[in-house]
Every structure is written in structure tokens, then in C-alpha cells.
Amino acid sequence: MPDFAEEDARLAALVAQGDRNAFLKLYDRYAAQVYALTLRMLGERMAAEEVTQDAFLKLWTRAASYTPRKGSLAAWLMTIARRTALDRIRLENRRPEFGSPNDPEDTWLHLPDPQSATQEARWRTLRFALLDLPPEQRQVIELAYYQGMSQSQIAAYLD
């Protein structure tokens, strides 16, 4: 399975110089994963699409700030997406109901990005590891990561 670390770093440097083709390659490689994360966090397709667009706009405008020695581009981009989604949740002052019927559990199982098999395998492994946790532990992690709740907010929410 291919490792895209070196190619991603090269493409990010090209994006920083305004190379649209490099940007499109990165978009094709990571859009499905970014969308899956934002959909999981926001629970609404339109909101997830908007946040995915915002995350890639930030990639376009901030590519020069990516430092390969600090981590993979995928991790950097997913961090941007997560923070953008959390900003959206805070801005709208809403939180989707935990375990609501709009919860896109199936999205994690079908990440359709064939070029990033290594990343996809990591995502699936992470999701399955989370599913292996006892429900009360999984809920705490999901509230913190996907909902952006602090420790005290989680404690209050879970009583």
C-alpha cells in the first residue's frame, strides 16, 4: 500500500505556490475522509459539505504553514477540518443529539478514497477500536472529540 507522506509534502509545497493541479490531487485524495469526519461531527450533509469546503479553502490559503516533520498532511488537514467543524458548532450554539437518528455511523465504514488505502485502513482501524470500547467510555470520547465538549461539560451532560 502506498505511503503518500513525501508526495503530500511536495504537493502541499506546490499548493503554497498556487498550483491548482496539486490542490486538486490533494482534494481527490482526502475529500472523502474530511467529509466523513465533518458529517460525523455535524450530523447534517449540507453543513458537512460547507465545512469540508472551508477546510480545503484553509488548505489552499495556509499550505505554506504545513510542516512535514511535525506530522502527515492527512493529520494536519483532519485537524483543520475538526477545528472548523467545532467552530461551526460553537458559532451556531448547537450540538447534535448524541446518538440521534441522523448519526452517520455507516460513513466510517465506507470511506470511498481508493488512492489512500493506508489512510483508509487507519481510519477503519480507529473506528473499530472505538467500537470495541465499552459504551460509556466510547460516549465520553465521542463527546470530547466530535462534540468538542470539555471535561466539565461532559460530566454535566452525563450527570
Side-chain angles (χ1 to χ4, degrees):
M1 293 187 185
D3 182 10
F4 295 111
E6 288 182 29
E7 183 182 3
D8 284 352
R10 183 183 62 78
L11 290 171
L14 291 171
V15 170
Q17 296 170 7
D19 187 320
R20 292 179 184 197
N21 289 328
F23 175 80
L24 291 174
K25 285 180 183 177
L26 291 172
Y27 181 86
D28 288 344
R29 186 171 291 162
Y30 296 112
Q33 293 172 353
V34 170
Y35 177 74
L37 174 64
T38 59
L39 182 60
R40 174 69 176 93
M41 292 179 72
L42 300 169
E44 298 174 12
R45 291 185 189 277
M46 185 177 287
E49 289 171 5
E50 290 173 3
V51 170
T52 298
Q53 265 188 329
D54 288 347
F56 278 95
L57 178 60
K58 289 176 182 177
L59 167 64
W60 177 255
T61 60
R62 299 177 186 172
S65 67
Y66 169 65
T67 307
R69 64 179 167 71
K70 290 184 178 180
S72 71
L73 182 81
W76 183 74
L77 184 57
M78 296 304 279
T79 299
I80 289 172
R82 179 178 177 271
R83 288 179 180 166
T84 304
L86 289 174
D87 288 346
R88 170 106 181 213
I89 289 168
R90 290 179 187 123
L91 179 68
E92 293 179 2
N93 196 24
R94 66 166 178 77
R95 297 196 189 283
E97 285 295 314
F98 185 77
S100 73
N102 296 329
D103 195 9
E105 288 293 322
D106 291 337
T107 306
W108 288 97
L109 303 176
H110 305 287
L111 293 174
D113 191 359
Q115 292 182 342
S116 62
T118 301
Q119 292 294 331
E120 182 173 341
R122 289 180 189 153
W123 275 94
R124 288 182 184 206
T125 300
L126 176 63
R127 183 64 188 146
F128 287 127
L130 191 59
L131 290 173
D132 283 343
L133 290 175
E136 60 278 357
Q137 291 177 3
R138 181 175 59 240
Q139 185 179 21
V140 170
I141 291 171
E142 288 177 341
L143 290 171
Y145 189 80
Y146 299 121
Q147 305 297 320
M149 289 185 176
S150 68
Q151 182 179 3
S152 59
Q153 289 171 321
I154 292 169
Y157 181 82
L158 296 177
D159 195 32

